[in-house]
Amino acid sequence: MVFMPKQVFFEPKATEYPLGEELYNKFQKLNIPIQKLSSYNKLDRESSSPSEFYAFAKDSIVVGIKRSMKLVPCKPSADYQFSLVTGCPGSCQYCYLQTNQSLKPFTRVYVNRDEIFNNIQKYIDSALPNITTFELASTGDPLSVEHLTGSVKSAIEFFSTSEHGRLRLVTKFSYVDSLLDLNHNGKTKVRYTINSPYVINNFEFNTDSLENRLDAASKIYSAGYPLGFIIAPIMIYEGYKEEYTSMLESLRSKIESPDTAPITFELIQYRFTAKSKKVINERFPLTKLDLNEETRFKKWGPYGVYKYVYQKDESKLLKEFFEEKIKKYFPSSTIEYFT
Ligand code: SF4
């Protein structure tokens, strides 16, 4: 799917950057209502309910400037994370952004790309002679608005000539055609988040279908990019083993030479926190997500809050199930972690 916003907001000075000007002209030609903001903090809708405000924000794009240049670590995925986009027009009910960006669930794109890349170069230089890896998808889905910004393309081009920098990103969107002919030099790893039809149909709205994600992943792989898959959130429900097995079979049918494909898998079981449960219930009062703490194992998380995961015996069974299936369908792959 290709997302088009219903309204766009521009932060002060955003149009002074080439990408800001380009986006302004693009949205004007598309007759999409544009509003200039005096500040991002002023963007609010006091009179609307949480679910109305959420829907409004998800239909909007904010064009802004990334101010803070301090990069935070991003273990185990990469050394640091950075953003060209925060938020995402998708509406996955379990999304970590429900809590991280609970007050302003807007998709915000940054136009000062050169400043962002110059800053990354400083981090790379300060870690020489080591390789430094950067995650582009920690605060949103960068490919979700690629058809509008072209920012993933510019990041791939920046890293393609970097001797000591590497880029990683994760997505549920299939807009990859503009990336296929790039001279990426194998410096960017693309991972697709995939899931069973039950999870996608019930909880992942406004994202691409499994079929489209697999087709896009297949194109990325054929274009020579290092490729990985994140299976998340893994859920236990009636028929889950059959659905996850058939998902892996479909994936196998799309990947060239699957027996020798050096792809990677990251496996993340479904979890929620007390805070995410509150926000999810406000935004999606009819959600089918299982948010019952009593049947879960309470685990202390790295961000200083408890998370609720499957009981230890259930999670052990899940881990064994995926290890066995992945080994069968992709014998040359690596499972990076199960959590
Ligand atoms: S696609 Fe990713 S970032 Fe977007 S709503 Fe879904 S989980 Fe969140």
Side-chain angles (χ1 to χ4, degrees):
M1 57 161 278
V2 176
F3 166 73
M4 269 305 148
K6 289 193 179 145
Q7 56 274 320
V8 181
F9 299 93
F10 277 77
E11 292 177 34
K13 298 190 192 292
T15 48
E16 291 176 15
Y17 291 81
L19 176 59
E21 193 186 0
E22 184 192 318
L23 288 171
Y24 193 89
N25 293 335
K26 190 177 279 182
F27 292 128
Q28 218 172 24
K29 271 196 200 132
L30 289 165
N31 280 327
I32 295 174
I34 296 175
Q35 199 179 313
K36 289 205 169 184
L37 295 170
S38 57
S39 140
Y40 182 55
N41 294 336
K42 293 267 160 39
L43 189 49
D44 212 342
R45 271 196 140 192
E46 279 158 17
S47 57
S48 50
S49 69
S51 54
E52 282 168 349
F53 183 65
Y54 177 78
F56 172 76
K58 287 287 175 181
D59 279 337
S60 310
I61 281 189
V62 179
V63 181
I65 298 165
K66 184 74 185 163
R67 303 278 177 201
S68 164
M69 290 289 158
K70 184 172 166 25
L71 302 186
V72 292
C74 184
K75 297 291 181 190
S77 159
D79 294 309
Y80 295 102
Q81 62 187 58
F82 75 104
S83 306
L84 294 168
V85 178
T86 51
C88 160
S91 292
C92 303
Q93 294 187 344
Y94 55 74
C95 177
Y96 58 102
L97 300 177
Q98 303 288 3
T99 41
N100 286 7
Q101 294 171 3
S102 56
L103 296 178
K104 290 206 189 298
F106 290 90
T107 304
R108 193 176 182 201
V109 303
Y110 299 114
V111 292
N112 52 333
R113 289 190 302 219
D114 288 346
E115 290 163 18
I116 292 171
F117 295 144
N118 288 342
N119 183 51
I120 286 172
Q121 189 58 50
K122 286 184 195 154
Y123 278 80
I124 294 172
D125 292 343
S126 68
L128 289 176
N130 297 327
I131 300 276
T132 310
T133 50
F134 296 83
E135 172 61 74
L136 181 54
S138 289
T139 56
D141 191 312
L143 218 57
S144 62
V145 287
E146 180 63 9
H147 54 292
L148 299 169
T149 64
S151 288
V152 173
K153 181 178 175 200
S154 66
I156 292 172
E157 283 169 338
F158 169 80
F159 280 93
S160 71
T161 56
S162 173
E163 258 187 60
H164 294 89
R166 298 289 181 274
L167 177 66
R168 290 162 69 83
L169 62 100
V170 195
T171 186
K172 286 183 183 142
F173 289 84
S174 57
Y175 185 85
V176 293
D177 288 357
S178 62
L179 312 181
L180 300 179
D181 292 333
L182 299 183
N183 191 11
H184 55 78
N185 284 331
K187 306 277 176 75
T188 296
K189 177 164 182 174
V190 180
R191 289 115 81 219
Y192 264 88
T193 304
I194 55 174
N195 221 313
S196 64
Y198 170 81
V199 177
I200 292 179
N201 296 337
N202 284 298
F203 309 115
E204 297 184 357
F205 300 102
N206 303 323
T207 60
D208 274 321
S209 65
L210 177 63
E211 173 94 19
N212 287 352
R213 292 181 213 175
L214 296 184
D215 285 341
S218 160
K219 288 186 200 170
I220 282 287
Y221 187 60
S222 299
Y225 285 90
L227 176 68
F229 293 91
I230 300 186
I231 307 179
I234 297 170
M235 290 191 193
I236 297 176
Y237 57 91
E238 203 183 324
Y240 78 92
K241 285 191 178 171
E242 290 75 14
E243 283 207 346
Y244 281 119
T245 303
S246 108
M247 177 193 79
L248 289 168
E249 281 168 356
S250 304
L251 175 55
R252 182 176 163 83
S253 73
K254 302 272 181 180
I255 298 292
E256 243 176 272
S257 312
D259 287 337
T260 53
I263 56 179
T264 57
F265 288 91
E266 295 158 75
L267 308 172
I268 305 173
Q269 61 171 306
Y270 169 60
R271 73 264 325 273
F272 63 89
T273 62
K275 186 171 177 199
S276 71
K277 174 175 175 172
K278 182 173 176 292
V279 179
I280 290 166
N281 277 329
E282 276 172 6
R283 286 185 181 158
F284 312 105
L286 302 176
T287 185
K288 289 188 193 163
L289 280 174
D290 182 350
L291 296 163
N292 182 358
E293 296 92 338
E294 279 164 25
T295 57
R296 292 300 148 88
F297 178 68
K298 194 174 175 184
K299 194 173 170 186
W300 184 246
Y303 300 107
V305 285
Y306 281 108
K307 54 190 174 185
Y308 294 93
V309 296
Y310 287 116
Q311 294 292 348
K312 281 188 172 167
D313 54 341
E314 294 173 311
S315 113
K316 183 168 174 281
L317 285 176
L318 276 181
K319 183 168 181 277
E320 287 167 1
F321 167 77
F322 277 97
E323 281 173 352
E324 188 215 312
K325 295 289 175 195
I326 287 171
K327 195 166 175 210
K328 175 176 169 195
Y329 293 119
F330 300 97
S332 302
S333 69
T334 310
I335 296 177
E336 293 190 336
Y337 57 84
F338 174 95
T339 179

